[in-house]
Amino acid sequence: VVKHHIAHGGVSRYDKIKHYHQVFLGIQISDKELELWCDRFSELVVQQVIDAPFVKGAEQAILEMGKKYSLFIISGTPQVEMDYIVIKLGLKSSFKAVCGSPKKKEKWSKELMDKYRFHPREVVFVGDAKTDFDAADFCRMHFVLRSHEENEAQFSSINCKKIKDLSELAEAIIPFNAPRR
């Protein structure tokens, strides 16, 4: 389960929990049971996410870059939780939109590009999961990987800009000509 979870970062917990029951336990769970498991997962992690330290440079990058660029969050985390987390962290005003599951990242990316009339080559998707890269690739956006121990092997053969933390982000996106606010 842990290997699958790491290899499929950014995938909705609804998809993962259903998959784990089917593949590892041989059980088909009902929508009601799935909802109960997802609620339990939420109870276990939301406050931990809020209490966790920021990735190095993340808070500063969000606050500073949010003044110059249109920032968005696209996450596999459920929409309601993402909204709550961003508010609790005091970052709501830095983002033009916060987008969570059940809608997939590719669909959110396309919708935001269309809604705000962004040209793909002006947009930079920053992420750390294969689903982030796939969404950027689907929409022909630039991609910057925040690499870490859990994703290095998965991205070893993928040619993209790679940074260790978000203190490097402002410099990493300069060549991409992202549209300003």
Side-chain angles (χ1 to χ4, degrees):
V1 170
V2 172
K3 281 184 183 179
H4 181 274
H5 171 71
I6 290 170
H8 295 88
V11 172
S12 165
R13 71 185 60 152
Y14 289 85
D15 295 341
K16 287 181 181 179
I17 290 171
K18 192 178 211 178
H19 175 82
Y20 300 151
H21 277 83
Q22 288 173 346
V23 173
F24 298 117
L25 301 173
I27 300 169
Q28 295 285 343
I29 60 174
S30 69
D31 290 344
K32 184 177 179 178
E33 289 171 306
L34 179 60
E35 198 64 43
L36 290 171
W37 279 109
C38 290
D39 288 347
R40 177 70 179 127
F41 185 90
S42 178
E43 291 169 10
L44 293 171
V45 301
V46 171
Q47 192 59 48
Q48 290 181 26
V49 170
I50 293 166
D51 293 341
F54 281 91
V55 168
K56 183 181 174 189
E59 186 174 24
Q60 182 180 355
I62 291 166
L63 294 172
E64 290 179 11
M65 296 177 85
K67 295 174 186 170
K68 294 196 298 193
Y69 301 103
S70 296
L71 302 182
F72 303 86
I73 292 177
I74 301 175
S75 177
T77 299
Q79 182 71 52
V80 172
E81 285 178 34
M82 281 309 311
D83 290 335
Y84 179 75
I85 291 166
V86 171
I87 289 167
K88 287 303 231 181
L89 293 174
L91 298 173
K92 180 91 171 133
S93 64
S94 295
F95 295 99
K96 202 164 192 123
V98 175
C99 309
S101 68
K103 203 176 286 188
K104 306 280 188 226
K105 292 178 181 183
E106 289 178 356
K107 187 165 175 106
W108 272 125
S109 298
K110 177 79 171 98
E111 283 183 23
L112 293 171
M113 299 253 323
D114 291 346
K115 179 178 181 177
Y116 294 101
R117 297 184 178 165
F118 293 134
H119 186 278
R121 302 318 296 167
E122 297 175 322
V123 178
V124 181
F125 197 125
V126 180
D128 68 350
K130 185 71 167 57
T131 54
D132 300 326
F133 177 81
D134 292 343
D137 188 52
F138 177 77
C139 291
R140 300 177 187 219
M141 302 175 196
H142 298 286
F143 181 73
V144 174
L145 173 71
R146 184 184 74 84
S147 70
H148 48 74
E149 189 177 287
E150 291 179 357
N151 68 14
E152 283 180 350
Q154 191 174 31
F155 281 92
S156 63
S157 63
I158 295 176
N159 185 23
C160 64
K161 179 72 178 168
K162 297 174 184 174
I163 59 177
K164 287 288 182 192
D165 60 59
L166 297 182
S167 64
E168 305 172 44
L169 183 58
E171 187 176 312
I173 69 165
I174 290 171
F176 299 134
N177 298 316
R180 300 201 176 244
R181 279 191 167 256

